[in-house]
Amino acid sequence: MPRGRRGGRVSALEGGREEAAPPAAQWASARQPEAAAERILLRGIFEIGRDSCDVVLSERALRWQPIRPERLPGDSKYDFLQKEEFVELKDIFSVKLKRRYSIKQKRSGTLLGITLFICLKKEQNKLKDSTLDLINLSEDHCDIWFRQLKKILAGFSSRPKSLKILLNPQSHKKEATQVYYEKVEPLLKIAGIKTDVTITEYEGHALSLLKECELQGFDGVVCVGGDGSASEVAHALLLRAQKNAGLETDSILTPVGAQLPLGVIPAGSTNVLAHSLHGVSHVVTATLHIIMGHIQPVDVCTFSTIGKFLRFGFSAMFGFGGRALAVAEDHRWMSPNQRMDFAIMKALAKLKPEECEISFLPFNSSQDLEERRAQGYPKSDCNDQWQMIQGQFLNVSIMAIPCQCSVAPRGLAPNTRLNNGSMALITARNTSRPEFIKHLKRYASMKNQFNFPFVDTYTVEEVKVCPRSNSSGHHPEEDHGPRGTASGNCFPWNVDGDLMQVASEVHVRVHPRLINLYGRSMEEMIPK
């Protein structure tokens, strides 16, 4: 599409410089919706770019076509310009009257037309905000179109109108505050979403806040931070749901789902949850999914020890993964990247196996099992085919999500989906340090990281990990600091980037679709 006069495209962020209008093909969908069956709501003339266009607003799309002088038979000069262009209404997230202000016009400027704010799909699952200017100087004409467009947008009931924002200023390089106020808040303002921002002050602040604060007026909760922050907020929302349902939280067998969806703005060092959800760790993409009201149900695990519920979470590592995190927690004074690199090197230097007994219930997706679950049967009563393995293990991973990040583009559990009711159990038995390092390095490549004789993978519904003794693997005198030390037979677990110290068996269950996250999985984002 030709450029608009004086740069017809306005920046999506208020106060930004004006840019040239982008080609309409950017926001025209790959497959044009059928126009014949659609009811026409409005039709009028607007200038788009430098062209006067015949613009039609139907129930599903906004279409336009340049108005050209009647041509003589056989004259094909303008044929290539007659192509109709369009944007689907579901991709528009805001509409505003476009005005030009001068020093003398402090309250109401000169009307220029209407600006549409549009969500674009880009490469690698990314989303981008863009604008389309419909230029017409008639106040009455623009008012009719503006009101109709606002009415249409108000009909998208899944889109949030009010959000509770929890911001962790300590995430990663302490950039979360800047990320929110420079990239997230301006888009939320354009979309007309009301926000209530709380800056968390200490670990566990979000948990204590969400236990008691009033959430009735909010459509969702948004966490700005890393994986630890997001997991804490998800855990808090689920705990609150159990309390509201009158369930005893000391022993949770069949939890109820969270009542509000959770949005995750990636501002951490790895951003595993956001990456697994969207396919990329991209702030604008995460924000636009929230604005558009895209909902993705996600499975959640419960972690419990003998007779006691511990927490909700999405993934866990025991052995090498737990020890590396324990070392990292004892070196918080380092920068995030230095801290994690140091912790991994130290954990590798002291690589030792844990003697464990691991029991698991293989995943069964039969219809009968689903029906019995729906009737409220505990999982262990639906299928008694428990299996058991034992021996010395360097690492045990239990993951209900793919756990993708920049250092593991395929994911730590690439065959796991977000909501199929199963977990990946990945065990690395005792082997030499060089062979274990080869296995870890494979996560950063596209090769099969499980193609080693000491690595086994299982698709499961429940797992019990029972360390047999402390003698073979964990020696407190070799660790430093209170968090990296196992007290007696207390073993470190890495649950969503949070350290969990447990002295006995840990029982992990997966619960299908327990929480809704704002986003779309990679499978849904791939064009059909």
Side-chain angles (χ1 to χ4, degrees), residues 12-34:
L13 303 183
E14 293 178 352
R17 67 179 181 85
E18 294 188 346
E19 302 174 357
Q26 282 192 22
W27 17 262
S29 300
R31 185 174 59 85
Q32 184 169 340
E34 294 296 331

Side-chain angles (χ1 to χ4, degrees), residues 1-2 22-29 32-33 48 51 53-56 61-66 80-88 132:
M1 189 176 70
Q26 282 192 22
W27 17 262
S29 300
Q32 184 169 340
I48 302 178
D51 291 317
C53 296
D54 178 17
V55 183
V56 176
L62 181 81
R63 307 170 187 278
W64 64 95
Q65 192 171 22
F80 72 100
L81 294 173
Q82 296 298 322
K83 182 180 178 181
E84 181 184 75
E85 296 181 277
F86 71 97
V87 59
E88 292 191 65
L132 174 67

Side-chain angles (χ1 to χ4, degrees), residues 203-352:
E203 185 178 348
H205 188 187
L207 177 61
S208 60
L209 180 75
L210 288 175
K211 279 183 178 179
E212 306 296 338
C213 76
E214 179 58 58
L215 294 177
Q216 188 171 359
F218 297 106
D219 300 310
V221 176
V222 175
C223 172
V224 186
D227 289 316
S229 301
S231 179
E232 180 183 333
V233 174
H235 173 63
L237 287 173
L238 286 165
L239 276 183
R240 181 171 179 137
Q242 312 318 305
K243 180 180 177 182
N244 292 344
L247 297 180
E248 177 59 53
T249 56
D250 286 343
S251 179
I252 299 176
L253 293 178
T254 309
V256 299
Q259 294 159 330
L260 290 178
L262 170 62
V264 180
I265 302 296
S269 53
T270 54
N271 302 308
V272 165
L273 185 56
H275 207 126
S276 299
L277 186 62
H278 309 307
V280 290
S281 177
H282 187 241
V283 171
V284 171
T285 296
T287 306
L288 287 173
H289 278 303
I290 294 169
I291 290 171
M292 303 301 287
H294 296 159
I295 294 296
Q296 174 65 55
V298 177
D299 300 342
V300 182
C301 304
T302 52
F303 295 85
S304 57
T305 188
I306 300 172
K308 180 177 174 58
F309 169 77
L310 297 173
R311 60 169 294 161
F312 292 99
F314 300 98
S315 64
M317 287 186 285
F318 172 79
F320 171 78
R323 290 184 194 162
L325 180 61
V327 174
E329 288 296 320
D330 285 336
H331 293 79
R332 279 274 172 183
W333 51 270
M334 291 183 175
S335 67
N337 291 337
Q338 287 180 325
R339 181 170 67 242
M340 207 60 233
D341 290 344
F342 171 80
I344 290 173
M345 294 301 294
K346 185 171 182 180
L348 285 173
K350 297 185 177 181
L351 184 66
K352 293 177 183 177

Side-chain angles (χ1 to χ4, degrees), residues 318-324 327 343-354 392-396 428-440 454 472-475 478-479:
F318 172 79
F320 171 78
R323 290 184 194 162
V327 174
I344 290 173
M345 294 301 294
K346 185 171 182 180
L348 285 173
K350 297 185 177 181
L351 184 66
K352 293 177 183 177
E354 293 287 1
Q392 293 187 335
F393 298 90
L394 292 175
N395 192 68
V396 178
R429 292 180 179 270
N430 192 20
T431 188
S432 67
R433 184 181 290 107
E435 284 298 299
F436 185 69
I437 292 174
K438 285 182 183 178
H439 162 61
L440 296 181
F454 58 89
S472 65
H474 205 91
H475 297 275
E478 294 182 1
D479 290 322

